[in-house]
Amino acid sequence: MIIERMYTGPYQSDFFDWVHNQGAKAIQGVNTFIKHKWKGKDQVELKKSKLQKDEVLTTEKSDTVEPILDSYGGYCCDLLSLFYIPYIIVILMIFRNETEIPNIYGIKEQDM
């Protein structure tokens, strides 16, 4: 879990942004193709120039401190869970009859 947080976690948002941008470009291409077939070329050229200007504005995204804080928060939660999980498992083993989990799922005492 920590390896996932360190190596793949920081790049997931970049990957999803890339997939979103590629999908938007594909939809734009299909729309342009359809409009080109049904309308004049002048209208298509005007819309292309407007879309390119909008695309330039949306792709200029600067990285801030928030991704670093997000990663730091994730690492802290993972580290704390490493300390809390054994304690919670011991509590569940001590109060096994009170939780009714073994009775519901048929877990024997030697399996806990």
Side-chain angles (χ1 to χ4, degrees):
M1 179 161 60
I2 292 176
I3 292 172
E4 184 269 332
R5 287 277 187 178
M6 290 174 62
Y7 295 112
T8 61
Y11 301 110
Q12 283 179 350
S13 64
D14 293 335
F15 175 74
F16 290 131
D17 287 342
W18 179 80
V19 169
H20 176 70
N21 289 337
Q22 294 301 320
K25 286 180 184 177
I27 291 171
Q28 248 178 4
V30 170
N31 286 340
T32 304
F33 178 75
I34 291 171
K35 288 177 183 178
H36 181 67
K37 286 288 187 183
W38 296 100
K39 293 184 180 181
K41 291 183 180 180
D42 295 334
Q43 292 176 353
V44 173
E45 293 299 325
L46 287 173
K47 292 207 181 216
K48 274 187 184 178
S49 65
K50 286 181 184 177
L51 290 175
Q52 287 174 351
K53 288 178 186 176
D54 291 341
E55 185 177 325
V56 169
L57 292 175
T58 57
T59 55
E60 292 178 3
K61 187 169 68 171
S62 62
D63 289 333
T64 59
V65 177
E66 287 141 0
I68 297 169
L69 290 175
D70 188 35
S71 294
Y72 182 72
Y75 298 144
C76 291
C77 288
D78 287 346
L79 184 64
L80 285 174
S81 69
L82 291 175
F83 293 115
Y84 285 137
I85 296 284
Y87 174 73
I88 291 173
I89 290 174
V90 168
I91 294 295
L92 287 174
M93 289 172 67
I94 291 172
F95 297 105
R96 69 184 306 273
N97 291 328
E98 286 83 0
T99 60
E100 294 291 324
I101 293 174
N103 295 337
I104 293 172
Y105 295 105
I107 300 172
K108 299 174 185 168
E109 187 168 349
Q110 57 267 27
D111 292 339
M112 291 222 25

